[in-house]
Amino acid sequence: MVSILLSGAGGKMGQVITRSVSERDDCHIAAGIDIHSIDCGYPVFSSPEQCDVACDVIIDFSHPSVTNSLLDYAVKHKIPAVIATTGLSPEQVEAIHEAAKTIPVFFSANMSLGVSLLTELAKKAAKVLGNDFDIEIIEKHHNRKVDAPSGTALMLADAISEELKDAPQYVYDRHSRRAARSKNEIGIHAVRGGTIVGEHEILFAGHDEIISLTHTAMSKEIFATGAINAALFLANCKPGLYNMGDLV
């Protein structure tokens, strides 16, 4: 049975993961990390450095302020890490790549199997349509989400960019641009409201026709399941950087 160290144990995703793991017999949460003192049914430490419980793999659904210390802890103790926290800085992403030289690291802005498929479909569409169709990405989330655009929207934009002949410019703020849309850009738009779990739509707009690819998350359980499966997968991997494509 795989033992998990859950970073962000007291957060909404942490609670969903705790509940999901309790319904499985192939893993258990041995300890958690959270800045708040909470009762999760397992020991919870306020920082990675304080954790003295042996674990096989880390799942991180917390906050970018924790990422650096968590990576240091994972590398020091040679523990594989699933990094699902979004809103990371370019320097933190680089640190993740550096850590992957020493330990297995699973890094994805979205842990959903459906979003992984959406990414592949978007890449295929971009390869066929990208030179003749305008590309726009619209993402929608609940009113408590802080970072915008979402990490998933940026992940989709990056995947599409790989298929285009010329590297596109990402445009986030059209109201400040008094100019016609250029061909070499991807518009990325964020909507925040209510309790929307997560919706991502990619529009390929051409002459007299539009192709739309959409994924809608109905609950956070899909992300919890993906993260747990990633942790089980990672427990048996060699050092390196892994993502949903590897898991699928």
Side-chain angles (χ1 to χ4, degrees), residues 71-72 74-76 78-81 83 91-107 234 237-242:
L71 285 174
D72 291 341
V75 169
K76 179 180 179 180
K78 298 293 189 294
I79 306 175
I83 306 297
E91 292 76 17
Q92 289 176 311
V93 174
E94 179 59 32
I96 289 172
H97 284 257
E98 190 65 27
K101 297 178 181 179
T102 306
I103 60 173
V105 178
F106 193 103
F107 179 46
L234 205 64
C237 288
K238 297 179 180 179
L241 190 64
Y242 301 88

Side-chain angles (χ1 to χ4, degrees), residues 100-229:
K101 297 178 181 179
T102 306
I103 60 173
V105 178
F106 193 103
F107 179 46
S108 177
N110 193 297
M111 290 291 167
S112 160
L113 175 62
V115 168
S116 178
L117 176 58
L118 176 69
T119 303
E120 293 305 314
L121 292 173
K123 290 170 66 174
K124 290 183 178 180
K127 191 171 184 178
V128 175
L129 307 172
N131 293 328
D132 301 312
F133 282 60
D134 297 326
I135 303 172
E136 299 280 311
I137 298 173
I138 305 99
E139 57 96 345
K140 305 174 185 178
H141 284 87
H142 53 86
N143 56 21
R144 306 299 294 173
K145 185 172 178 62
V146 177
D147 56 309
S150 69
T152 301
L154 292 173
M155 178 184 74
L156 291 168
D158 290 343
I160 291 170
S161 297
E162 294 175 1
E163 303 299 327
L164 301 179
K165 183 173 63 175
D166 299 315
Q169 176 189 10
Y170 296 171
V171 176
Y172 308 100
D173 187 14
R174 291 206 186 279
H175 84 273
S176 63
R177 295 164 60 95
R178 305 297 295 179
R181 187 193 197 283
S182 69
K183 294 298 296 182
N184 190 37
E185 67 179 60
I186 296 177
I188 304 177
H189 315 278
V191 176
R192 297 290 176 266
T195 57
I196 302 171
V197 176
E199 181 177 316
H200 293 84
E201 180 180 14
I202 307 166
L203 291 179
F204 292 86
H207 183 69
D208 290 342
E209 60 180 336
I210 297 174
I211 296 172
S212 173
L213 302 174
T214 304
H215 176 271
T216 301
M218 307 303 291
S219 75
K220 293 181 181 295
E221 276 76 10
I222 62 171
F223 309 124
T225 299
I228 296 166
N229 289 339

